[in-house]
Amino acid sequence: MEDAGADFGYRGEQLGLPEDGPGSIARPGRRLGALAVDWGLGVLIAYGLITDGYDGQTTGNWALLVFLVMSVLTVGTVGFTPGKRLFGLRVVALDTGRVQPLRGLLRSVLLCLAVPALIWDRDGRGLHDRLARTVEVRI
């Protein structure tokens, strides 16, 4: 469409966010890096404290639960997980700017289902963010 002359603007323009810098929509590379750090923490916690390396599948299941709990507790309170903080990202609600615990829970559960996170809109928000009415921005 853009080749045909349609102007869609920049990512986040429809949401009232700046084009770049603090408050702009987080780029996919940073988001995936933060996700990898958070998943790694979940695996380390599950392996070291819960399963003691018992079984790969069991460790993976516990890692998902640890990831979910970590995401719900941190995003629903301070707006970022350890990985997001490391990569300079924060999750904010579109209307209030702060993510309430229920929105954090909804976003985290949908993220753990994976499919909603793989469906993105033109602003780069996953379906889990759209349904929770949140957006991941740069700090």
Side-chain angles (χ1 to χ4, degrees):
M1 289 295 294
E2 289 177 350
D3 292 337
D7 181 24
F8 292 116
Y10 62 87
R11 294 168 18 133
E13 184 175 17
Q14 294 178 338
L15 303 172
L17 300 174
E19 186 171 1
D20 54 6
S24 64
I25 288 193
R27 301 286 182 218
R30 285 186 179 206
R31 294 175 73 172
L32 289 173
L35 182 64
V37 168
D38 292 335
W39 180 253
L41 284 173
V43 169
L44 283 174
I45 292 169
Y47 182 84
L49 298 177
I50 301 172
T51 65
D52 196 29
Y54 176 68
D55 178 17
Q57 181 65 38
T58 304
T59 301
N61 291 339
W62 278 104
L64 183 61
L65 181 64
V66 169
F67 175 83
L68 174 66
V69 169
M70 178 176 58
S71 183
V72 168
L73 292 177
T74 58
V75 170
T77 56
V78 293
F80 51 80
T81 61
K84 288 182 191 344
R85 182 67 182 138
L86 183 67
F87 280 83
L89 305 176
R90 170 177 238 123
V91 178
V92 296
L94 288 175
D95 50 0
T96 63
R98 183 177 148 104
V99 179
Q100 289 80 23
L102 287 177
R103 282 190 189 183
L105 174 67
L106 174 64
R107 183 185 187 279
S108 298
V109 167
L110 291 172
L111 181 62
C112 287
L113 293 176
V115 172
L118 297 174
I119 302 171
W120 291 18
D121 65 6
R122 79 166 205 83
D123 287 321
R125 291 191 314 153
L127 186 58
H128 63 296
D129 277 325
R130 288 187 59 105
L131 293 174
R133 295 189 318 270
T134 59
V135 63
E136 198 166 342
V137 298
R138 293 175 53 194
I139 297 176

